[in-house]
Structure formats: structure tokens, C-alpha cells
Amino acid sequence: MLKLGLIGHPVGHSMSPWIHGKLLDQQNLQGSYELFDLEPEEFDQQIQSPEIKKLDGFNVTVPFKEKIIPHLAELDESAKEMGAVNTVKNTSEGWIGYNTDGIGFADSLTNDYPTSLKSSTRILLLGSGGACRGIYYALTKKEVAAIDIANRTTQRAMDIIQDGSQKINSTVLTLEEASEHLANYDVVIQTTTVGMSPNDDQLIIPVDHMTKDTIVSDIVYRPMETRFLQEAKKRGARLHFGHQMLLQQAVYAFKIWTETDPDASKLLEEFEKKLKGV
Ligand code: ATR
């Protein structure tokens, strides 16, 4: 009986129990996936509780993706580079930390648009939080022409680029500059919480300068089609949705825990129905 879970604060609205329940069924594995809402001030004690120690593996979400690191025996390369962990595996040597957010994003994008990441591709990331950092590092592994970052606080975008060990052509922009120069990019990725329910009306930047066929992604998955995606669609953009990344990062975590090879595409339609409440 596999014991899995999620630690975070809050965790009540998480889709992870549903996804991992389906993955366990798909692989004919017996197991559970429980939610652990930990108090940020008491994190260092609560993370060592017997219920969490008993888990075979767990996901980590905000605000603990960095705080978990001192509790781990080892970090894999992805987590080390990003300085953040979203997946932990319990082994005989202790807890090992991984980060599947970035690779989950990159794979879900290329599943949808197989030629989207090529040597001529110019990418624009909007935002500079933890999610942006993970996606930035995963994309630096691909051979693309440029990965620029625009953020309200430009210093945070600079920090991400400077912390990166890769030699990649990256420029920092203000949000105004990003809006003005949208036509320069083949792929635009919205990584902030702007537009997330209940603030469905929020729009990170105006998209008047976006050109037809730009691939536009939003990591927000509630609502599934954010205002940013709706506006981009009106300009003829091709869309990529946040729930696809969510599903793919979960599949990678599940693979790490179980050493099985689940098929995310089989779950996608059912997941979309679940999110739409059908
Ligand atoms: P996480 O680590 O979960 O991604 P975060 O560190 O709080 O979250 O980052 C949130 C991102 O959303 C940041 O890029 C933030 O911009 P700042 O770095 O300037 O704070 C961005 N963000 C949040 N609300 C915003 C708003 N109303 N307009 C523009 N950007 C916003």
C-alpha cells in the first residue's frame, strides 16, 4: 500500500488527490494520497511528524518549496538548480528532493506543439515567482534562440537570469515593454497568479501587439481559459493551458515515486471535464 501526499498551506483546493488517485488506478496500484496543511510558523517541527515520515513520497507546494530543502538528504540536479522542490521521495538514505514543474511545463508544451521549441524560437516569460524560475531553467535546457523575462519587479527577473548557469540569450523587460514588443516572440508564457479565479477579469498585459500564430500559455488553470488566453485567441494565437502542465508535473512525480510509466494523455479529457465541473 503506497502512501503519498501533499504538503502546503493552503491545500484544500488541490487537484493532486484526484490526479494521483487516477494514476494509482491506471497502474493497478493500491495507495492513498492525503493532504497535509502545515502551519508556516511550525513547519520545521510539523514536517518531522510521524504521519509525514510514513509517506513513501509527497509533493510540496507553496509556501514550502524552498523551506523543505534543509530537511532533505539529497537534491537531484533539477531541484538544486532551481533552488526549489515540488516532489520528495522517501528512500533508505532519507528524503530526496526533485522538481518536476519545469519539465512538466516543457513537455506539456511540446506534446501540444511538437515544433514549438527550436533553435529559432524566441520565448517571453511573464512573471518572476517560483513557477517562472522552474520553467525558465527547464527551457534553458532546450536549444532556443532567446528566453526573455518581463516582471512588475524587474530585479526579480534579473535574479533568475543571473542565477542560471546556462549561457542563454536572456533580456529583462518591464511589463510595458513586454506588451509593446509582443510581436517579437514565438512563445509567450504567463506564469503569475494574475487572472486566477476569483480575479478572472485581471489581465497581466494588453495583447494588442500580439501576432497571429504566437503560442500563448497561461499556467493559471482556474479558470481553464483565462482572460489572457481569451484575448490572445482573439488575435489568432494558438493556446496552451495551465491544467496540461499541472497534469504533466504530477505524472513526473508519480513516475519518481513508483517507477511506473503512466500515460498523461489518457487522463487529459477526464481531467478537463472534472475542472469544468461536467
Ligand atoms: P510563486 O512563487 O507562487 O510563483 P510569487 O513569488 O508570489 O509566487 O510570484 C508571483 C508573481 O506574480 C510575481 O512575478 C509577481 O510580480 P512581482 O515580482 O512584481 O511581485 C506577479 N504578480 C502578482 N500580482 C501581480 C499583479 N497584480 N501585476 C503584475 N504582476 C503580479
Side-chain angles (χ1 to χ4, degrees):
M1 167 91 177
L2 205 57
K3 288 182 80 64
L4 305 171
L6 169 69
I7 63 165
H9 181 79
V11 290
H13 293 291
S14 171
M15 293 305 298
S16 296
W18 186 90
I19 298 174
H20 288 288
K22 292 284 172 189
L23 292 173
L24 286 165
D25 288 349
Q26 198 189 88
Q27 298 303 315
N28 284 318
L29 292 171
Q30 291 283 322
S32 60
Y33 188 97
E34 278 176 63
L35 299 176
F36 296 88
D37 193 337
L38 307 189
E39 280 306 319
E41 302 81 57
E42 287 164 41
F43 176 79
D44 290 320
Q45 296 84 52
Q46 292 187 351
I47 189 67
Q48 299 294 344
S49 70
E51 299 82 62
I52 295 176
K53 286 275 173 193
K54 264 195 282 191
L55 297 173
D56 299 296
F58 56 91
N59 285 125
V60 184
T61 189
V62 278
F64 304 131
K65 288 186 180 186
E66 290 162 23
K67 273 191 161 173
I68 186 75
I69 293 176
H71 295 273
L72 304 176
E74 210 182 300
L75 286 181
D76 100 317
E77 202 196 324
S78 62
K80 216 179 281 171
E81 210 169 19
M82 292 172 199
V85 164
N86 81 330
T87 301
V88 174
K89 182 172 183 165
N90 196 357
T91 72
S92 51
E93 275 92 61
W95 282 342
I96 302 182
Y98 301 81
N99 197 313
T100 69
D101 285 335
I103 185 168
F105 175 83
D107 275 18
S108 70
L109 183 69
T110 49
N111 280 345
D112 252 9
Y113 301 104
T115 59
S116 55
L117 301 177
K118 49 183 192 268
S119 59
S120 60
T121 305
R122 297 182 57 84
I123 301 173
L124 175 65
L125 291 171
L126 302 172
S128 292
C132 180
R133 196 172 266 273
I135 293 170
Y136 179 81
Y137 290 131
L139 292 176
T140 60
K141 302 280 183 281
K142 312 283 174 182
E143 285 183 15
V144 294
I147 312 174
D148 294 349
I149 309 181
N151 193 41
R152 181 175 60 181
T153 314
T154 49
Q155 184 58 48
R156 293 187 76 195
M158 265 172 225
D159 292 344
I160 293 180
I161 290 169
Q162 277 162 7
D163 292 346
S165 54
Q166 311 289 323
K167 282 200 182 69
I168 179 98
N169 180 4
S170 288
T171 304
V172 171
L173 289 83
T174 64
L175 291 177
E176 292 72 27
E177 287 167 338
S179 180
E180 199 64 33
H181 296 118
L182 275 177
N184 291 350
Y185 297 96
D186 307 293
V187 178
V188 179
I189 307 159
Q190 199 302 108
T191 73
T192 78
T193 50
V194 175
M196 187 187 286
S197 178
N199 301 310
D200 303 37
D201 277 350
Q202 288 181 341
L203 182 65
I204 182 94
I205 52 170
V207 298
D208 311 81
H209 296 284
M210 186 173 279
T211 48
K212 193 173 165 293
D213 291 337
T214 307
I215 295 172
V216 180
S217 179
D218 197 326
I219 70 159
V220 170
Y221 61 90
R222 277 201 182 101
M224 198 183 280
E225 192 165 307
T226 59
R227 182 160 169 224
F228 186 62
L229 291 180
Q230 288 169 14
E231 299 286 331
K233 190 159 79 175
K234 287 184 203 156
R235 314 270 333 155
R238 294 177 286 166
L239 308 186
H240 175 253
F241 297 87
H243 68 274
Q244 296 170 311
M245 169 189 178
L246 182 68
L247 190 58
Q248 198 65 48
Q249 63 76 28
V251 165
Y252 272 107
F254 192 86
K255 280 185 185 180
I256 289 168
W257 297 324
T258 62
E259 288 161 25
T260 59
D261 195 17
D263 184 352
S265 65
K266 282 194 189 152
L267 265 186
L268 187 60
E269 207 177 312
E270 205 180 340
F271 187 41
E272 287 173 352
K273 281 192 185 148
K274 168 89 184 155
L275 283 172
K276 286 181 189 152
V278 186

